[in-house]
Amino acid sequence: MSEVDVSKVLPRIDISAEEFADRRRKATVQAREEGFTGLLVCGRGGGAVDRYGDIAYLTDHYTSFPYIPDVEGKWTGRAHSFLVLPVRADPCLVVDIPYREKIVMPADQIVVTDLVIESTIAAMTERGLTAGRIGLVGNDTIALSMFRKLSAALPNVEWVDADRILAALRAVKSPGEIARLKAASRLGSRMIEAMMAAAVPGATHGEVLKAGMDILIPAGGMLYNSFMASGTGGANGRAVRANFPTWSSEEPLSEGQWFRAGISGVLQGYYFDLSRSCPIGRPQPEQVEAFEAAIAVVEAGIAAIRPGVTAGEVAEAGIRKQQELGYPLTGVFTGLGHGVGLGWDSPWLNPGEPMKLVPGMVLCLEKTLSRGGYLGDFEETVLVTETGVERITDAPIRRW
Protein backbone atom coordinates (compact mmCIF):
# COMPACT_ATOMS: atom_id res chain seq x y z
CA MET A 1 0.00 0.00 0.00
CA SER A 2 1.10 3.61 -0.51
CA GLU A 3 2.57 5.55 2.39
CA VAL A 4 1.21 9.00 3.24
CA ASP A 5 3.21 11.31 5.50
CA VAL A 6 0.56 12.81 7.77
CA SER A 7 2.96 14.66 10.06
CA LYS A 8 2.33 17.85 8.08
CA VAL A 9 0.10 19.24 5.36
CA LEU A 10 0.67 17.26 2.17
CA PRO A 11 2.55 19.10 -0.62
CA ARG A 12 0.31 20.95 -3.03
CA ILE A 13 -0.10 19.53 -6.53
CA ASP A 14 -0.17 22.50 -8.89
CA ILE A 15 -2.43 22.95 -11.89
CA SER A 16 -1.25 25.64 -14.29
CA ALA A 17 -2.95 28.98 -14.88
CA GLU A 18 -3.05 28.05 -18.57
CA GLU A 19 -5.20 25.01 -17.81
CA PHE A 20 -7.72 27.12 -15.88
CA ALA A 21 -7.82 29.64 -18.74
CA ASP A 22 -8.40 26.78 -21.20
CA ARG A 23 -11.30 25.49 -19.08
CA ARG A 24 -12.92 28.94 -19.21
CA ARG A 25 -12.32 29.08 -22.95
CA LYS A 26 -13.97 25.68 -23.49
CA ALA A 27 -16.97 26.69 -21.40
CA THR A 28 -17.27 29.89 -23.42
CA VAL A 29 -17.06 28.04 -26.74
CA GLN A 30 -19.79 25.63 -25.66
CA ALA A 31 -21.97 28.51 -24.48
CA ARG A 32 -21.59 30.22 -27.84
CA GLU A 33 -22.45 27.03 -29.70
CA GLU A 34 -25.65 26.70 -27.66
CA GLY A 35 -26.71 30.25 -28.49
CA PHE A 36 -25.97 31.88 -25.14
CA THR A 37 -24.64 35.41 -24.83
CA GLY A 38 -22.80 34.24 -21.73
CA LEU A 39 -22.80 32.10 -18.63
CA LEU A 40 -23.30 33.00 -14.99
CA VAL A 41 -21.63 30.41 -12.76
CA CYS A 42 -22.50 30.23 -9.06
CA GLY A 43 -20.53 28.42 -6.36
CA ARG A 44 -20.91 28.14 -2.60
CA GLY A 45 -18.30 27.75 0.12
CA GLY A 46 -18.79 28.98 3.65
CA GLY A 47 -16.62 26.32 5.25
CA ALA A 48 -18.71 23.53 3.69
CA VAL A 49 -17.52 21.18 0.96
CA ASP A 50 -20.69 20.93 -1.10
CA ARG A 51 -21.21 22.77 -4.43
CA TYR A 52 -18.04 24.84 -4.70
CA GLY A 53 -16.87 22.73 -7.63
CA ASP A 54 -17.87 24.77 -10.69
CA ILE A 55 -16.20 27.94 -9.46
CA ALA A 56 -13.13 26.03 -8.29
CA TYR A 57 -12.91 24.23 -11.64
CA LEU A 58 -12.79 27.51 -13.57
CA THR A 59 -10.79 29.71 -11.17
CA ASP A 60 -9.35 27.56 -8.30
CA HIS A 61 -11.26 29.83 -5.91
CA TYR A 62 -13.06 28.82 -2.70
CA THR A 63 -14.74 31.26 -0.33
CA SER A 64 -14.40 30.25 3.32
CA PHE A 65 -16.67 32.99 4.69
CA PRO A 66 -19.83 31.40 6.19
CA TYR A 67 -23.32 31.92 4.89
CA ILE A 68 -25.16 34.71 6.70
CA PRO A 69 -28.51 36.30 5.85
CA ASP A 70 -28.34 39.41 3.65
CA VAL A 71 -28.41 42.82 5.32
CA GLU A 72 -29.37 45.29 2.60
CA GLY A 73 -26.76 47.95 2.01
CA LYS A 74 -24.20 46.10 4.14
CA TRP A 75 -23.68 42.69 2.58
CA THR A 76 -25.37 40.25 0.20
CA GLY A 77 -24.54 36.83 -1.13
CA ARG A 78 -21.94 35.93 1.48
CA ALA A 79 -20.43 32.44 1.09
CA HIS A 80 -21.20 32.62 -2.65
CA SER A 81 -19.07 33.49 -5.66
CA PHE A 82 -20.17 34.32 -9.20
CA LEU A 83 -18.21 34.02 -12.42
CA VAL A 84 -19.58 36.20 -15.22
CA LEU A 85 -18.46 34.50 -18.43
CA PRO A 86 -19.48 36.40 -21.58
CA VAL A 87 -18.93 34.78 -24.95
CA ARG A 88 -17.47 38.00 -26.43
CA ALA A 89 -15.77 39.80 -23.53
CA ASP A 90 -13.40 39.14 -20.66
CA PRO A 91 -14.81 37.27 -17.66
CA CYS A 92 -15.24 38.66 -14.16
CA LEU A 93 -15.15 36.76 -10.87
CA VAL A 94 -17.07 38.32 -7.97
CA VAL A 95 -15.92 37.10 -4.54
CA ASP A 96 -16.49 38.00 -0.90
CA ILE A 97 -13.04 37.42 0.63
CA PRO A 98 -9.84 39.34 -0.23
CA TYR A 99 -7.62 36.42 -1.20
CA ARG A 100 -6.88 37.51 -4.76
CA GLU A 101 -3.49 35.78 -4.84
CA LYS A 102 -5.20 32.39 -4.45
CA ILE A 103 -7.36 32.86 -7.56
CA VAL A 104 -6.04 31.64 -10.91
CA MET A 105 -7.30 34.59 -12.98
CA PRO A 106 -5.86 37.97 -13.96
CA ALA A 107 -6.19 40.41 -11.04
CA ASP A 108 -8.13 42.94 -13.13
CA GLN A 109 -10.85 40.32 -13.71
CA ILE A 110 -11.55 39.86 -9.98
CA VAL A 111 -13.94 41.97 -7.88
CA VAL A 112 -13.83 41.67 -4.07
CA THR A 113 -16.96 43.00 -2.38
CA ASP A 114 -19.39 42.64 0.50
CA LEU A 115 -22.27 43.26 -1.93
CA VAL A 116 -21.83 40.13 -4.01
CA ILE A 117 -25.20 40.20 -5.79
CA GLU A 118 -25.11 43.91 -6.66
CA SER A 119 -21.53 43.60 -7.90
CA THR A 120 -22.48 40.60 -10.04
CA ILE A 121 -25.30 42.59 -11.63
CA ALA A 122 -22.86 45.45 -12.28
CA ALA A 123 -20.32 43.08 -13.87
CA MET A 124 -22.98 41.63 -16.16
CA THR A 125 -24.18 45.11 -17.14
CA GLU A 126 -20.64 46.31 -17.89
CA ARG A 127 -20.15 43.32 -20.20
CA GLY A 128 -23.41 43.77 -22.08
CA LEU A 129 -25.18 40.79 -20.54
CA THR A 130 -28.46 42.60 -20.00
CA ALA A 131 -30.61 40.73 -22.55
CA GLY A 132 -30.83 37.45 -24.41
CA ARG A 133 -30.20 33.88 -23.33
CA ILE A 134 -27.81 33.47 -20.42
CA GLY A 135 -26.85 30.04 -19.15
CA LEU A 136 -27.08 29.63 -15.38
CA VAL A 137 -24.62 27.13 -13.90
CA GLY A 138 -25.21 26.19 -10.26
CA ASN A 139 -29.01 26.17 -10.26
CA ASP A 140 -29.07 24.14 -7.05
CA THR A 141 -26.60 26.51 -5.39
CA ILE A 142 -27.97 30.00 -5.94
CA ALA A 143 -30.57 31.01 -3.33
CA LEU A 144 -34.03 32.00 -4.52
CA SER A 145 -33.64 35.47 -2.97
CA MET A 146 -30.46 36.01 -4.99
CA PHE A 147 -32.06 34.85 -8.22
CA ARG A 148 -35.02 37.18 -7.67
CA LYS A 149 -32.62 40.15 -7.37
CA LEU A 150 -30.84 39.15 -10.57
CA SER A 151 -34.12 38.73 -12.43
CA ALA A 152 -35.50 42.06 -11.22
CA ALA A 153 -32.35 43.95 -12.19
CA LEU A 154 -32.03 42.21 -15.58
CA PRO A 155 -35.64 41.81 -16.79
CA ASN A 156 -34.67 41.20 -20.42
CA VAL A 157 -32.48 38.19 -19.66
CA GLU A 158 -33.79 34.72 -20.41
CA TRP A 159 -32.21 32.47 -17.79
CA VAL A 160 -31.54 28.93 -19.06
CA ASP A 161 -30.27 25.92 -17.10
CA ALA A 162 -26.70 25.30 -18.31
CA ASP A 163 -25.37 22.95 -15.62
CA ARG A 164 -24.75 20.35 -18.32
CA ILE A 165 -21.90 22.43 -19.81
CA LEU A 166 -19.75 22.25 -16.70
CA ALA A 167 -20.87 18.69 -15.96
CA ALA A 168 -19.53 17.55 -19.34
CA LEU A 169 -16.24 19.42 -18.94
CA ARG A 170 -15.66 18.15 -15.41
CA ALA A 171 -16.40 14.51 -16.29
CA VAL A 172 -12.97 13.90 -17.87
CA LYS A 173 -9.98 14.78 -15.71
CA SER A 174 -6.68 16.34 -16.73
CA PRO A 175 -3.34 14.88 -15.56
CA GLY A 176 -3.19 17.47 -12.77
CA GLU A 177 -6.68 16.59 -11.57
CA ILE A 178 -5.85 12.88 -11.67
CA ALA A 179 -2.76 13.53 -9.56
CA ARG A 180 -4.87 15.38 -6.98
CA LEU A 181 -7.51 12.64 -6.98
CA LYS A 182 -4.86 9.98 -6.45
CA ALA A 183 -3.42 11.91 -3.51
CA ALA A 184 -6.91 12.35 -2.05
CA SER A 185 -7.73 8.65 -2.44
CA ARG A 186 -4.46 7.63 -0.79
CA LEU A 187 -5.26 9.91 2.14
CA GLY A 188 -8.81 8.57 2.38
CA SER A 189 -7.43 5.04 2.29
CA ARG A 190 -5.12 5.74 5.22
CA MET A 191 -8.01 7.36 7.09
CA ILE A 192 -10.40 4.43 6.75
CA GLU A 193 -7.57 1.99 7.45
CA ALA A 194 -7.04 3.70 10.81
CA MET A 195 -10.77 3.66 11.50
CA MET A 196 -11.11 -0.06 10.82
CA ALA A 197 -8.19 -0.74 13.14
CA ALA A 198 -9.91 1.34 15.86
CA ALA A 199 -13.22 -0.53 15.50
CA VAL A 200 -12.77 -2.83 18.51
CA PRO A 201 -15.08 -3.89 21.35
CA GLY A 202 -15.70 -0.96 23.67
CA ALA A 203 -15.00 1.80 21.14
CA THR A 204 -17.75 4.25 20.20
CA HIS A 205 -18.43 5.41 16.65
CA GLY A 206 -16.99 8.79 17.58
CA GLU A 207 -13.75 7.22 18.80
CA VAL A 208 -13.48 5.28 15.57
CA LEU A 209 -13.92 8.44 13.53
CA LYS A 210 -11.36 10.27 15.67
CA ALA A 211 -8.75 7.70 14.66
CA GLY A 212 -9.44 8.68 11.04
CA MET A 213 -9.52 12.40 11.74
CA ASP A 214 -6.08 12.11 13.35
CA ILE A 215 -4.90 11.10 9.87
CA LEU A 216 -7.02 13.52 7.85
CA ILE A 217 -6.53 16.84 9.65
CA PRO A 218 -2.71 16.99 9.88
CA ALA A 219 -2.52 16.21 6.16
CA GLY A 220 -4.67 19.25 5.30
CA GLY A 221 -7.83 17.33 4.47
CA MET A 222 -11.46 18.11 5.29
CA LEU A 223 -14.23 15.69 6.22
CA TYR A 224 -17.39 15.77 4.12
CA ASN A 225 -19.28 12.95 5.79
CA SER A 226 -18.89 9.65 7.58
CA PHE A 227 -21.72 7.15 7.33
CA MET A 228 -21.33 4.76 10.24
CA ALA A 229 -23.39 1.85 11.51
CA SER A 230 -22.93 -1.27 13.59
CA GLY A 231 -25.24 -4.02 14.65
CA THR A 232 -26.19 -7.64 14.95
CA GLY A 233 -28.00 -9.92 12.53
CA GLY A 234 -30.36 -12.80 12.80
CA ALA A 235 -33.92 -13.03 14.07
CA ASN A 236 -33.36 -10.37 16.72
CA GLY A 237 -30.96 -8.24 14.69
CA ARG A 238 -30.65 -4.53 15.30
CA ALA A 239 -28.68 -1.65 13.81
CA VAL A 240 -26.99 1.17 15.70
CA ARG A 241 -26.61 4.45 13.85
CA ALA A 242 -27.07 8.22 14.20
CA ASN A 243 -27.62 11.02 11.72
CA PHE A 244 -26.62 14.35 13.33
CA PRO A 245 -23.75 13.91 13.53
CA THR A 246 -23.40 10.46 12.05
CA TRP A 247 -20.81 9.41 14.66
CA SER A 248 -22.81 10.44 17.75
CA SER A 249 -24.18 7.05 18.82
CA GLU A 250 -23.40 6.51 22.51
CA GLU A 251 -23.58 2.72 22.32
CA PRO A 252 -20.07 1.21 22.15
CA LEU A 253 -19.14 -1.55 19.75
CA SER A 254 -19.38 -5.06 21.15
CA GLU A 255 -18.09 -8.52 20.33
CA GLY A 256 -20.01 -10.19 17.52
CA GLN A 257 -21.30 -7.04 15.81
CA TRP A 258 -20.75 -6.03 12.22
CA PHE A 259 -19.44 -2.51 11.52
CA ARG A 260 -19.38 -0.38 8.41
CA ALA A 261 -18.03 3.08 7.63
CA GLY A 262 -18.32 5.08 4.44
CA ILE A 263 -16.24 8.24 4.39
CA SER A 264 -15.77 11.11 1.98
CA GLY A 265 -13.59 14.16 2.24
CA VAL A 266 -11.49 16.66 0.37
CA LEU A 267 -7.79 17.23 -0.26
CA GLN A 268 -6.72 20.25 -2.34
CA GLY A 269 -10.31 20.60 -3.53
CA TYR A 270 -10.67 17.02 -4.81
CA TYR A 271 -12.82 14.35 -3.20
CA PHE A 272 -12.08 10.91 -1.87
CA ASP A 273 -14.97 8.51 -1.28
CA LEU A 274 -14.70 4.92 -0.04
CA SER A 275 -16.19 2.45 2.40
CA ARG A 276 -15.29 -0.72 4.23
CA SER A 277 -16.89 -3.27 6.58
CA CYS A 278 -15.43 -5.44 9.31
CA PRO A 279 -16.46 -7.75 12.15
CA ILE A 280 -16.08 -6.64 15.74
CA GLY A 281 -14.05 -9.39 17.31
CA ARG A 282 -14.35 -12.90 15.89
CA PRO A 283 -16.04 -12.94 12.43
CA GLN A 284 -19.26 -14.87 11.92
CA PRO A 285 -20.08 -16.66 8.64
CA GLU A 286 -23.23 -14.60 8.06
CA GLN A 287 -21.29 -11.36 8.51
CA VAL A 288 -18.61 -12.43 6.07
CA GLU A 289 -21.26 -13.46 3.53
CA ALA A 290 -22.69 -9.91 3.53
CA PHE A 291 -19.24 -8.31 3.43
CA GLU A 292 -18.17 -10.49 0.50
CA ALA A 293 -21.42 -9.87 -1.37
CA ALA A 294 -20.88 -6.11 -1.36
CA ILE A 295 -17.32 -6.60 -2.58
CA ALA A 296 -18.46 -8.97 -5.34
CA VAL A 297 -21.05 -6.51 -6.66
CA VAL A 298 -18.54 -3.67 -6.85
CA GLU A 299 -15.89 -5.89 -8.42
CA ALA A 300 -18.38 -6.99 -11.08
CA GLY A 301 -18.93 -3.34 -11.97
CA ILE A 302 -15.19 -2.62 -12.06
CA ALA A 303 -14.63 -5.65 -14.32
CA ALA A 304 -17.09 -4.19 -16.83
CA ILE A 305 -15.26 -0.86 -17.16
CA ARG A 306 -13.41 -0.08 -20.36
CA PRO A 307 -13.50 2.83 -22.81
CA GLY A 308 -16.63 2.86 -24.95
CA VAL A 309 -19.00 1.05 -22.60
CA THR A 310 -21.79 3.11 -21.12
CA ALA A 311 -22.18 4.04 -17.47
CA GLY A 312 -25.47 2.16 -17.58
CA GLU A 313 -23.78 -1.06 -18.70
CA VAL A 314 -21.37 -0.86 -15.76
CA ALA A 315 -24.30 -0.42 -13.36
CA GLU A 316 -26.15 -3.31 -14.94
CA ALA A 317 -23.13 -5.61 -14.48
CA GLY A 318 -23.14 -4.89 -10.75
CA ILE A 319 -26.89 -5.31 -10.46
CA ARG A 320 -26.76 -8.70 -12.19
CA LYS A 321 -24.26 -9.87 -9.59
CA GLN A 322 -26.47 -8.52 -6.80
CA GLN A 323 -29.45 -10.43 -8.19
CA GLU A 324 -27.37 -13.61 -8.51
CA LEU A 325 -26.44 -13.31 -4.84
CA GLY A 326 -30.08 -12.84 -3.84
CA TYR A 327 -29.82 -9.41 -2.21
CA PRO A 328 -32.70 -6.89 -2.47
CA LEU A 329 -32.26 -4.09 -5.01
CA THR A 330 -33.65 -1.47 -2.65
CA GLY A 331 -31.48 0.63 -0.38
CA VAL A 332 -30.35 4.11 0.58
CA PHE A 333 -28.65 4.54 -2.82
CA THR A 334 -29.79 2.27 -5.64
CA GLY A 335 -27.10 3.27 -8.16
CA LEU A 336 -23.69 1.60 -8.43
CA GLY A 337 -21.75 4.84 -8.10
CA HIS A 338 -20.74 8.07 -9.76
CA GLY A 339 -17.93 10.17 -11.11
CA VAL A 340 -15.82 12.08 -8.63
CA GLY A 341 -13.66 15.19 -8.75
CA LEU A 342 -14.47 18.58 -7.26
CA GLY A 343 -17.69 17.00 -6.06
CA TRP A 344 -19.99 14.27 -7.29
CA ASP A 345 -19.41 14.35 -11.04
CA SER A 346 -20.90 12.76 -14.13
CA PRO A 347 -21.40 10.04 -15.08
CA TRP A 348 -23.88 8.51 -12.65
CA LEU A 349 -23.73 4.71 -12.72
CA ASN A 350 -27.41 3.95 -13.14
CA PRO A 351 -29.05 1.39 -15.46
CA GLY A 352 -29.83 2.97 -18.81
CA GLU A 353 -27.37 5.88 -18.41
CA PRO A 354 -26.09 6.44 -21.99
CA MET A 355 -22.87 8.38 -21.26
CA LYS A 356 -19.90 6.45 -22.61
CA LEU A 357 -16.81 6.00 -20.51
CA VAL A 358 -13.58 7.54 -21.79
CA PRO A 359 -10.02 7.55 -20.44
CA GLY A 360 -9.56 10.19 -17.76
CA MET A 361 -12.88 9.63 -16.01
CA VAL A 362 -12.56 8.83 -12.30
CA LEU A 363 -15.38 6.72 -10.85
CA CYS A 364 -16.50 5.61 -7.41
CA LEU A 365 -18.26 2.25 -7.39
CA GLU A 366 -20.22 1.47 -4.24
CA LYS A 367 -22.72 -0.93 -2.80
CA THR A 368 -24.36 -1.38 0.59
CA LEU A 369 -26.23 -4.66 0.96
CA SER A 370 -28.40 -5.91 3.79
CA ARG A 371 -30.18 -9.21 4.40
CA GLY A 372 -31.30 -10.96 7.55
CA GLY A 373 -29.97 -8.16 9.71
CA TYR A 374 -26.43 -8.45 8.33
CA LEU A 375 -24.91 -5.59 6.36
CA GLY A 376 -21.98 -5.30 3.99
CA ASP A 377 -20.58 -2.07 2.55
CA PHE A 378 -17.79 -1.56 0.03
CA GLU A 379 -16.65 1.31 -2.21
CA GLU A 380 -13.60 1.78 -4.42
CA THR A 381 -12.34 4.56 -6.71
CA VAL A 382 -10.91 3.81 -10.14
CA LEU A 383 -9.43 5.72 -13.06
CA VAL A 384 -10.64 4.78 -16.55
CA THR A 385 -7.56 4.11 -18.70
CA GLU A 386 -6.99 3.26 -22.38
CA THR A 387 -7.20 -0.44 -21.58
CA GLY A 388 -9.53 -0.62 -18.58
CA VAL A 389 -9.08 0.70 -15.06
CA GLU A 390 -6.47 1.68 -12.50
CA ARG A 391 -7.58 1.38 -8.89
CA ILE A 392 -6.62 4.49 -6.91
CA THR A 393 -7.96 3.54 -3.48
CA ASP A 394 -5.59 1.16 -1.71
CA ALA A 395 -6.99 0.51 1.76
CA PRO A 396 -7.06 -3.17 2.82
CA ILE A 397 -10.27 -4.76 1.60
CA ARG A 398 -10.75 -7.56 4.13
CA ARG A 399 -10.27 -7.67 7.88
CA TRP A 400 -11.48 -11.22 8.40
Side-chain angles (χ1 to χ4, degrees):
M1 74 188 62
S2 302
E3 293 296 324
V4 174
D5 180 6
V6 296
S7 62
K8 57 184 178 180
V9 174
L10 294 177
R12 182 173 175 82
I13 297 169
D14 289 325
I15 296 176
S16 70
E18 290 76 17
E19 179 172 327
F20 283 98
D22 189 54
R23 295 173 185 178
R24 294 191 293 271
R25 182 191 62 79
K26 288 178 178 177
T28 301
V29 168
Q30 187 61 40
R32 184 183 299 117
E33 290 178 354
E34 294 195 22
F36 295 124
T37 58
L39 298 177
L40 180 64
V41 184
C42 177
R44 181 179 61 231
V49 290
D50 201 2
R51 300 301 293 132
Y52 64 85
D54 290 329
I55 289 290
Y57 181 78
L58 296 169
T59 69
D60 208 23
H61 170 67
Y62 176 90
T63 176
S64 54
F65 197 94
Y67 174 78
I68 55 177
D70 290 352
V71 175
E72 297 302 324
K74 300 297 184 181
W75 60 75
T76 60
R78 301 310 302 263
H80 292 75
S81 304
F82 289 87
L83 178 64
V84 179
L85 200 60
V87 299
R88 303 191 186 281
D90 289 336
C92 178
L93 178 66
V94 181
V95 301
D96 66 340
I97 57 173
Y99 302 153
R100 289 174 181 266
E101 71 279 4
K102 303 296 184 183
I103 300 171
V104 188
M105 283 184 70
D108 62 358
Q109 295 177 5
I110 303 168
V111 172
V112 180
T113 178
D114 287 331
L115 299 170
V116 172
I117 304 304
E118 289 79 358
S119 295
T120 298
I121 292 167
M124 294 182 67
T125 301
E126 291 166 5
R127 286 157 180 77
L129 299 182
T130 57
R133 299 175 73 245
I134 298 204
L136 185 61
V137 179
N139 286 269
D140 61 342
T141 307
I142 185 170
L144 178 59
S145 59
M146 300 176 187
F147 183 71
R148 283 173 172 165
K149 287 183 179 179
L150 290 166
S151 298
L154 303 166
N156 296 319
V157 166
E158 178 189 355
W159 299 98
V160 182
D161 182 347
D163 283 329
R164 63 188 176 280
I165 292 178
L166 266 293
L169 291 176
R170 286 173 50 182
V172 182
K173 275 60 182 181
S174 70
E177 290 185 288
I178 290 169
R180 288 190 179 185
L181 281 161
K182 287 182 175 181
S185 282
R186 288 194 297 270
L187 177 58
S189 294
R190 302 291 76 75
M191 179 181 176
I192 206 163
E193 183 179 312
M195 291 170 64
M196 292 293 107
V200 296
T204 65
H205 290 184
E207 289 169 336
V208 171
L209 180 61
K210 180 184 180 299
M213 296 297 282
D214 287 344
I215 301 293
L216 181 68
I217 292 174
M222 291 177 66
L223 180 69
Y224 184 5
N225 60 37
S226 177
F227 292 113
M228 308 179 74
S230 56
T232 56
N236 298 313
R238 60 185 294 269
V240 178
R241 59 172 65 92
N243 68 339
F244 190 66
T246 56
W247 54 88
S248 62
S249 171
E250 298 178 1
E251 182 175 325
L253 301 175
S254 60
E255 179 78 27
Q257 287 187 324
W258 51 260
F259 175 76
R260 56 86 64 164
I263 58 171
S264 56
V266 175
L267 179 69
Q268 296 178 44
Y270 284 78
Y271 278 34
F272 63 80
D273 189 21
L274 70 162
S275 62
R276 293 291 188 269
S277 304
C278 72
I280 305 302
R282 186 186 302 274
Q284 301 173 16
E286 297 88 352
Q287 292 174 334
V288 172
E289 180 182 328
F291 300 160
E292 292 287 356
I295 293 170
V297 171
V298 168
E299 295 291 359
I302 291 174
I305 294 174
R306 60 185 181 278
V309 305
T310 67
E313 289 170 332
V314 172
E316 289 153 13
I319 288 172
R320 283 195 299 272
K321 174 58 71 172
Q322 185 171 343
Q323 290 174 318
E324 290 173 11
L325 296 171
Y327 280 81
L329 297 180
T330 57
V332 174
F333 180 62
T334 55
L336 193 69
H338 48 82
V340 68
L342 289 159
W344 315 126
D345 287 352
S346 296
W348 289 90
L349 303 180
N350 290 317
E353 170 55 51
M355 179 178 279
K356 292 185 177 181
L357 304 186
V358 300
M361 287 181 172
V362 179
L363 309 173
C364 293
L365 291 92
E366 60 185 289
K367 185 51 63 175
T368 303
L369 298 176
S370 180
R371 187 174 64 189
Y374 295 95
L375 184 145
D377 188 21
F378 184 63
E379 182 171 11
E380 289 281 72
T381 305
V382 301
L383 166 67
V384 181
T385 67
E386 296 287 347
T387 57
V389 297
E390 175 188 346
R391 199 175 303 235
I392 66 174
T393 37
D394 64 352
I397 292 175
R398 295 173 175 85
R399 300 186 69 89
W400 54 87

